[in-house]
Amino acid sequence: MNQSRKTIVIASVLLVVLFAGAIVALQKIDSARGKDAAIEEVLYLPSGKTVKRLSLGYSSLLAVVYWTRAVQYFGNRHLQDSKRYDLLYPLLDITTDLDPQLVVAYQTGSIFLCQSPPNGAGEPDKAVALLEKGIVANPEVWRMYFTLGFVHYLERKDYKAAEQAFRKGSEVPGALPWMRTMAARMAEHAQDIETAMLLWRGIYETTHDKNVRDGAVKHLASLQAEIDMRELRIRVRTYHEKKGVWPTTWTELVRAGLLGGVPVDPAGQIYKLLPEGGVWVEDPSQFPFLDQAALAN
Amino acid sequence: MTSRLSAIALNTFREAVRDRVLYNLIIFVFLLVASAPLFSQISIDVERLILVNVGLSAISLFGVIIAIFIGIGLVSKEIEKRTLYTILSRPVRRWEFIAGKYCGLMMTLLVNAALMTVGFMIAVMITSHGLKAQDMHLLVAVYFTVLEFMVVTALTLLFSSFSSPIFSAILSFSLFAIGTFSLDLRNFAASAHGITKMFALAAAYLVPNLASLNVIAQVAHDQPVGGALVLYNTLYTVLYSAAVTAGAVLIFERRNLK
Amino acid sequence: MHAIEIQDLSKDYAVGFWKKTLRPALKGLSLTVESGETFGFLGPNGAGKTTTLKLLMGIIFPTAGSATVLGKSVHDPEVKKRIGFLPEQPYFYDYLSAPELLSYYAQLSGVPPAGRKERINSLLERVGLGDVGNKQLRKFSKGMLQRVGIAQAIVHEPEVVFLDEPMSGLDPLGRHEIREMIQGLKDAGKTIFFSTHILSDAEALCDRVAVIHKGELRGVGVVNDLRAATGGTSEVIWQNAQVLTAVSSLVMEPHVSADTVRVTVSRENLDPLLEKLRQQSATLISVTPLHGTLEDYFLSKTSEPEKEGAAV
């Protein structure tokens, strides 16, 4: 019995020590292979169709694995402020080959793809390709058309294609009526800030992805600031026309009855009044999508 | 100790060799590898690619299947046929029995993999008209496959030390499948929060890491495998399989054998 | 020093899906076996014989109590070098030949390589398997397998040999051969501990027997004493019906068919009867001990109510 007890003690100690060692070795492996090790295998994969054939009927399970990889890849790159997202499209393509009904992969994936770096891959054409693939597989999902119109309008500036996307989407049973409104706005309101806000609000309300939602919030804030500043510039100019001098504080405008109070930007800070009628935000890092050209206006 | 351990190992090996199922599998793999050049008639230029993928995957898959199917019976068959009684009534410690069984099955898998590799390399030589320096990477992939066998054998032996063959097979295959995606699991754990993170991390490090042992796709594209990876994979495999085997010994040591 | 000493040994098996119910298989067994003794461990199937042997081999762990063999714990590897064990109806590795199997077991028991081969060959000769060559065990008959079983139990020349139901499942010839082999071991001075539910086997071989029933020891005794205590009758058959009148005072329950007579006779009347038959030139056909002797003892022991009113 003593012999047996000795074996048990030794085996227990070994179990703990060896397992701890294995964990350390595993961490070394991970750091030797780099963060994207699991994802890099897509470089060697011929196509999603092959993967599907090899998945022995567990393709939708595998699709979830690939979708998770895509999200993780995007998240890691985004954190590093990367300019390149080379593997994003192959990952999304394989994901949607494995499970063509995985709507979230088209919807969120295309938004990852379409925005310019570092907020996205800067590949709006691939985003369109992905969404068109998604529409073929899921023609009944009208939101897919919404996202397609969104990409065409905001990232590709292709208003005709955007209008078409919204119109087709509005014809899908169950589509919200404002899809038709969006279609109508496309051509006549090119580059219109309000239209852009409507679109981003649509994205904000439909997405479940944290990355996309945060992006939408920043976009909306930037757009709101842009609308605010446009209006403020008009009022500053009116003041100048009336008084012949540029105002130096907002109080001067309030006193002149041109403003109801000191204007505050969406981040809660007071707008900066620049010399010669310029208006700008206090902290531009809060508004990454603020058009730099607006400063000049 | 060593003589008893090696006697058990050799007997385990001998049993596998005298079992015809093993030969059938080897023949099957040879057929598969031999027919790879035929597949590639369909798609020119990727002949070697297909051969390497099919060949290395077959070596891995067949090894894993053999490991699990022999592994699940290693302990239970000896109990069922009461041969274990004639072993444990001798000056054989229980841990020697477990370690001997492990070594015997590994010996079987090594011989099996070696035979398959010889066939595979011959097929590579025929398709590429000789061997190149990059073909050394293929042997690294085979080496990793053997490391994979070490992990799978240890796990199967662990399960077979306390559960029925069917249950052991189910557990082993599940862990093999999960282990293939272990890196995804660790990535998921890293991005989780709170209690979920703790459980996910524990699970992620508990399951075998087979993800980094599969470099088949990489070597099929003539990509080299880093020396650091070879070193750490070896280290990990040895430590992990030894830990699992220690677990099997712990369970088996106090087990009442009906 | 006793060859085997068992003290208050108990074993409960956990049964049921959740392993919560305990079923006692052995209840406080105590007995000793002396060196050189041939000890019969008797009891019906399920009495706890195999459980006792497994405890003695260290294959299972006791719930309570202890057992020593050759003065040391049964888990001591030094002890295990000096004991041999034949499990009940063993299968062995059927892909091996008899010499391979014995060589494997010899290695496990620490038999030095020098002379191992010769020892195995002479052992195979001794158990009547000298001519099997390299035939795999899967082609062996049941009797041959049992002989291999005995051979593996003694390949390392142990001092104590444990045999679990060595004669079960064999035909009369096979039983006879195994009995001869055990007799041979006994003559060689080994301590033999064997379990059986067949009484005549124990009767023929054992110095002492123990009777176990439902996990409890019901009695231990010297075979001759037991035999005397239980009396015992025999069945005698002979040809020549006319003799019956001359011996009618000696026999019971005579049956006559044609010229053949079948009677039952008590132990003390057996010799006088046989004497008379010889004098009258009757043709003796058979003398068979009837289910008596140990069996009577056995039955009387096993039908006793359990001690301490343990509810069943």
Side-chain angles (χ1 to χ4, degrees), chain C residues 71-89:
Chain C
K72 287 180 184 163
S73 155
V74 295
H75 295 280
D76 191 330
E78 284 310 307
V79 168
K80 289 189 171 179
K81 278 184 189 166
R82 294 157 66 193
I83 62 174
F85 177 48
L86 170 68
E88 184 183 355
Q89 300 196 355

Side-chain angles (χ1 to χ4, degrees), chain C residues 25-27 41-52 212-216:
Chain C
L26 197 63
K27 303 174 198 165
F41 198 46
L42 291 174
N45 288 324
K49 301 187 300 279
T50 299
T51 298
T52 307
I212 183 172
H213 184 60
K214 289 188 176 166
E216 276 179 75

Side-chain angles (χ1 to χ4, degrees), chain A residues 39-258:
Chain A
I39 289 146
E40 266 154 22
E41 84 171 36
V42 298
L43 291 175
Y44 311 117
L45 292 175
S47 77
K49 304 245 175 357
T50 317
V51 179
K52 186 167 188 165
R53 235 169 277 140
L54 291 174
S55 68
L56 308 170
Y58 295 96
S59 54
S60 62
L61 178 67
L62 213 54
V64 177
V65 170
Y66 274 97
W67 170 237
T68 316
R69 285 180 179 180
V71 172
Q72 229 134 34
Y73 175 75
F74 180 78
N76 289 343
R77 289 288 156 126
H78 190 55
L79 273 179
Q80 298 162 5
D81 270 344
S82 177
K83 300 266 178 278
R84 298 185 67 90
Y85 292 82
D86 294 343
L87 302 181
L88 185 59
Y89 182 71
L91 281 169
L92 291 168
D93 194 36
I94 289 173
T95 306
T96 50
D97 273 347
L98 284 168
D99 185 356
Q101 265 72 51
L102 195 67
V103 172
V104 65
Y106 301 107
Q107 292 281 65
T108 311
S110 59
I111 292 170
F112 288 165
L113 278 170
C114 73
Q115 300 182 71
S116 40
N119 300 297
E123 297 176 309
D125 293 347
K126 285 188 176 163
V128 168
L130 185 69
L131 283 166
E132 280 171 351
K133 182 178 166 189
I135 286 170
V136 171
N138 309 277
E140 73 292 349
V141 182
W142 65 268
R143 287 199 181 274
M144 207 89 89
Y145 291 96
F146 168 78
T147 315
L148 181 63
F150 170 91
V151 175
H152 278 310
Y153 178 82
L154 281 174
E155 300 296 339
R156 296 187 69 241
K157 320 277 185 218
D158 184 342
Y159 308 120
K160 213 172 150 65
E163 185 202 342
Q164 237 170 23
F166 282 114
R167 209 186 49 244
K168 275 192 191 154
S170 70
E171 287 159 11
V172 174
L176 289 179
W178 59 266
M179 284 292 284
R180 207 167 302 138
T181 323
M182 290 309 303
R185 290 187 77 129
M186 283 300 103
E188 42 188 292
H189 296 274
Q191 292 287 35
D192 174 312
I193 294 177
E194 280 79 9
T195 308
M197 273 194 87
L198 271 175
L199 287 169
W200 275 112
R201 187 148 295 138
I203 294 291
Y204 177 81
E205 281 160 8
T206 49
T207 191
H208 297 290
D209 185 88
K210 199 175 162 296
N211 270 315
V212 173
R213 190 184 290 257
D214 290 350
V217 167
K218 282 181 184 161
H219 271 284
L220 285 168
S222 302
L223 289 168
Q224 185 58 54
E226 223 160 286
I227 292 170
D228 289 352
M229 288 191 293
R230 194 173 56 186
E231 186 56 35
L232 287 170
R233 274 184 212 109
I234 292 167
R235 307 234 173 148
V236 170
R237 213 164 291 142
T238 315
Y239 182 92
H240 180 248
E241 275 159 21
K242 272 189 178 173
K243 307 260 172 161
V245 287
W246 294 107
T248 50
T249 62
W250 291 116
T251 345
E252 289 165 43
L253 268 87
V254 177
R255 261 189 235 126
L258 287 166

Side-chain angles (χ1 to χ4, degrees), chain B residues 1 5 94 117 132 165 179 212 216 228 249:
Chain B
M1 177 198 107
L5 205 150
R94 291 187 177 201
T117 307
K132 298 174 292 186
S212 70
I216 294 175
V249 167

Side-chain angles (χ1 to χ4, degrees), chain C:
Chain C
M1 187 188 72
H2 306 294
I4 304 167
E5 187 165 11
I6 300 171
Q7 258 174 359
D8 220 13
L9 201 62
S10 295
K11 176 69 186 174
D12 296 335
Y13 285 119
V15 291
F17 184 75
W18 300 107
K19 310 258 174 200
K20 280 204 170 151
T21 326
L22 290 179
R23 188 178 58 77
L26 197 63
K27 303 174 198 165
L29 175 74
S30 296
L31 50 88
T32 51
V33 176
E34 301 306 324
S35 200
E37 207 175 11
T38 300
F39 194 89
F41 198 46
L42 291 174
N45 288 324
K49 301 187 300 279
T50 299
T51 298
T52 307
L53 278 161
K54 282 190 198 171
L55 287 165
L56 286 171
M57 292 302 110
I59 293 163
I60 54 176
F61 302 95
T63 310
S66 67
T68 60
V69 176
L70 298 164
K72 287 180 184 163
S73 155
V74 295
H75 295 280
D76 191 330
E78 284 310 307
V79 168
K80 289 189 171 179
K81 278 184 189 166
R82 294 157 66 193
I83 62 174
F85 177 48
L86 170 68
E88 184 183 355
Q89 300 196 355
Y91 280 89
F92 301 121
Y93 308 95
D94 58 9
Y95 51 89
L96 295 181
S97 68
E100 280 171 339
L101 183 87
L102 294 180
S103 166
Y104 175 51
Y105 282 129
Q107 237 173 309
L108 292 185
S109 286
V111 175
R116 197 188 283 159
K117 209 175 161 192
E118 292 69 32
R119 187 194 284 207
I120 287 166
N121 286 338
S122 79
L123 180 59
L124 283 170
E125 208 68 58
R126 224 163 93 204
V127 297
L129 293 171
D131 55 348
V132 290
N134 285 323
K135 195 157 83 166
Q136 288 191 3
L137 294 184
R138 65 176 99 235
K139 292 172 188 148
F140 275 34
S141 71
K142 213 160 181 167
M144 287 161 86
L145 278 177
Q146 201 67 358
R147 278 186 267 176
V148 171
I150 302 256
Q152 66 80 29
I154 57 173
V155 67
H156 49 298
E157 303 197 342
E159 293 159 48
V160 186
V161 183
F162 296 86
L163 308 165
D164 195 2
E165 298 275 6
M167 283 160 273
S168 76
L170 296 179
D171 58 24
L173 184 64
R175 306 170 74 84
H176 172 75
E177 285 171 352
I178 299 296
R179 199 180 295 162
E180 289 300 302
M181 258 174 246
I182 297 172
Q183 188 62 50
L185 293 176
K186 190 176 174 176
D187 296 343
K190 313 263 184 221
T191 308
I192 300 164
F193 183 95
F194 81 91
S195 78
T196 181
H197 66 280
I198 298 154
L199 300 145
S200 50
D201 295 336
E203 207 175 11
L205 290 164
C206 295
D207 301 315
R208 283 197 307 149
V209 295
V211 177
I212 183 172
H213 184 60
K214 289 188 176 166
E216 276 179 75
L217 187 66
R218 292 299 173 86
V220 185
V222 176
V223 175
N224 286 332
D225 292 354
L226 293 176
R227 199 178 279 142
T230 54
T233 54
S234 299
E235 184 188 69
V236 180
I237 304 173
W238 73 86
Q239 229 160 17
N240 193 348
Q242 287 155 1
V243 184
L244 184 57
T245 44
V247 298
S248 59
S249 61
L250 297 171
V251 304
M252 298 173 283
E253 302 168 44
H255 297 275
V256 183
S257 52
D259 202 25
T260 307
V261 185
R262 176 164 61 87
V263 299
T264 306
V265 61
S266 67
R267 175 178 291 278
E268 58 273 18
N269 288 340
L270 183 59
D271 278 343
L273 173 66
L274 295 177
E275 188 68 24
K276 277 261 166 58
L277 290 178
R278 204 176 302 126
Q279 285 166 11
Q280 304 278 336
S281 314
T283 315
L284 187 63
I285 294 176
S286 72
V287 181
T288 317
L290 278 186
H291 300 289
T293 59
L294 275 178
E295 193 149 347
D296 290 343
Y297 180 80
F298 185 68
L299 282 174
S300 71
K301 288 295 174 188
T302 53
S303 57
E304 268 175 27
E306 284 180 78
K307 281 186 268 181
E308 293 160 18
V312 179

